[in-house]
Amino acid sequence: MTDKTWDVAAILKTTTDFFGQKGLPTPRLEAELLLAEILKLRRVDLYVQFERHLTPAEVDAYRELVKRRLNREPTAYILGRKEFYLLPFKVTPATLIPRPETERLVDEALLLTKNLPNPKIADIGCGCGAIALALAKNLPQSHVTAVDLSPATLEVAKENALALNLTSQTEFYLGDLTEPLTNQTFDLICANLPYVPHDDLATLEPDVVKFEPLLALDGGPDGLDLYRRLVNGISRWLKPLAYLLLEIHPPTLEELTKLIVAEGLTFIKAIPDYARANRLVLAQKPIFL
Ligand code: GLN
């Protein structure tokens, strides 16, 4: 890329074609995100500056990012951030990158809690804080407690709370599932725990396998190791009529429903994702449990 001068339009076109040939899922978008980062522009501004000529230093810096992406490093890790529910989140290799299908969990959680005056919500396995902080932002009267097992991950979640101005509405605890929760009960507990069956891990995209934390993905032999431990005894943290909302590996729905019923909760519904797979499970604690 150094032998000729490049303008924004040309370098984007060349990079997009190259990313496309290499099988990246969204070549144009990713070419734009990386170039906007180098030029310190918003993505839309690239279009206003289509004829801008890049300096050799800018071309070199861009080439470095393009090479990282070609090595399958996720764009979110290259940029150090990912948008989720229209909010910017810092992400690092210690945190799973928030997925678009998890926004559906936030939609549902908001519907369940929007009529409560002061909803108390827990997010177990919060990662970078995407679910917890999207809920806190959209429910200004709520209080959200978030737990994660990984100290490095929890630090990122706390930084995101600070950046989003949500520290007074949120609390973060280091620990295993519900273990750090004190004697309190919630209106809603949500979780997107590691749920990929161990033997399926190798079949995930190379971007995921090579770069994302396996700790946040590996659900054990059948994908339910973590949910088995979470659901067992979860009732004591739920108020009467409170909800449990989980993102799951769709094939585990039936088995998970059994766990929910064994815990004395009422299965309410499964909610499909954009690919029509049962990605979420909603359960409720009966009034007299
Ligand atoms: N949806 C993620 C994936 O398939 C898995 C997230 C999880 O295990 N909680 O990459």
Side-chain angles (χ1 to χ4, degrees):
M1 287 188 197
T2 41
D3 299 330
K4 59 180 257 196
T5 63
W6 290 91
D7 64 18
V8 166
I11 206 163
L12 280 180
K13 166 133 193 8
T14 301
T15 312
T16 303
D17 291 347
F18 204 59
F19 278 175
Q21 286 159 21
K22 296 289 174 185
L24 297 188
T26 49
R28 177 76 189 190
L29 172 66
E30 299 186 76
E32 290 180 6
L33 284 168
L34 297 178
L35 188 60
E37 181 73 7
I38 294 300
L39 301 181
K40 299 187 177 61
L41 296 174
R42 292 177 307 160
R43 197 156 63 87
V44 288
D45 295 327
L46 294 173
Y47 285 80
V48 182
Q49 303 193 18
F50 239 32
E51 283 152 36
R52 167 172 168 180
H53 280 268
L54 304 191
T55 66
E58 286 167 343
V59 174
D60 283 348
Y62 185 55
R63 200 200 296 104
E64 284 311 308
L65 300 196
V66 168
K67 282 202 309 217
R68 285 170 67 184
R69 185 63 190 112
L70 288 171
N71 186 36
R72 288 289 178 159
E73 185 172 348
T75 298
Y77 288 153
I78 298 173
L79 302 177
R81 59 177 186 278
K82 173 77 182 177
E83 190 176 278
F84 178 82
Y85 224 78
L86 300 177
L87 299 169
F89 286 87
K90 173 177 170 170
V91 292
T92 74
T95 66
L96 196 75
I97 300 164
R99 306 287 201 260
E101 57 265 33
T102 306
E103 294 184 329
R104 185 71 190 80
L105 186 151
V106 175
D107 286 339
E108 189 68 21
L110 290 175
L111 286 176
L112 295 170
T113 49
K114 68 175 196 283
N115 292 326
L116 300 175
N118 298 106
K120 283 192 65 188
I121 300 173
D123 176 17
I124 308 300
C126 67
C128 73
I131 294 172
L133 297 170
L135 291 175
K137 197 53 140 190
N138 286 281
L139 295 164
Q141 306 304 322
S142 68
H143 190 84
V144 183
T145 301
V147 178
D148 204 278
L149 184 66
S150 152
T153 304
L154 200 70
E155 278 317 303
V156 176
K158 286 183 196 169
E159 278 182 51
N160 281 323
L162 193 61
L164 292 167
N165 245 319
L166 290 168
T167 46
S168 61
Q169 253 181 282
T170 52
E171 280 171 68
F172 293 88
Y173 293 98
L174 184 66
D176 181 30
L177 302 175
T178 52
E179 173 246 342
L181 302 178
T182 44
N183 246 343
Q184 49 184 324
T185 50
F186 298 92
D187 297 292
L188 167 67
I189 296 179
C190 36
N192 175 14
L193 292 172
Y195 59 62
V196 180
H198 186 80
D199 289 347
D200 290 4
L201 287 169
T203 67
L204 300 176
E205 290 289 316
D207 316 34
V208 179
V209 180
K210 277 167 74 179
F211 292 96
E212 296 206 71
L214 285 182
L215 180 67
L217 292 163
D218 190 348
D222 66 353
L224 283 174
D225 270 12
L226 282 292
Y227 282 128
R228 229 174 247 117
R229 291 204 291 116
L230 178 73
V231 173
N232 181 18
I234 194 78
S235 304
R236 70 171 278 212
W237 309 107
L238 292 166
K239 296 182 193 178
L241 298 180
Y243 293 101
L244 177 67
L245 179 61
L246 309 175
E247 182 178 319
I248 64 159
H249 182 54
T252 60
L253 174 64
E254 200 178 322
E255 197 56 33
L256 188 71
T257 305
K258 288 186 196 153
L259 299 172
I260 285 169
V261 172
E263 177 62 15
L265 304 179
T266 309
F267 169 84
I268 304 283
K269 61 177 172 176
I271 300 164
D273 61 17
Y274 307 110
R276 294 168 195 260
N278 288 314
R279 185 65 63 182
L280 303 178
V281 176
L282 178 63
Q284 187 176 32
K285 178 166 163 165
I287 194 156
F288 294 124
L289 183 67

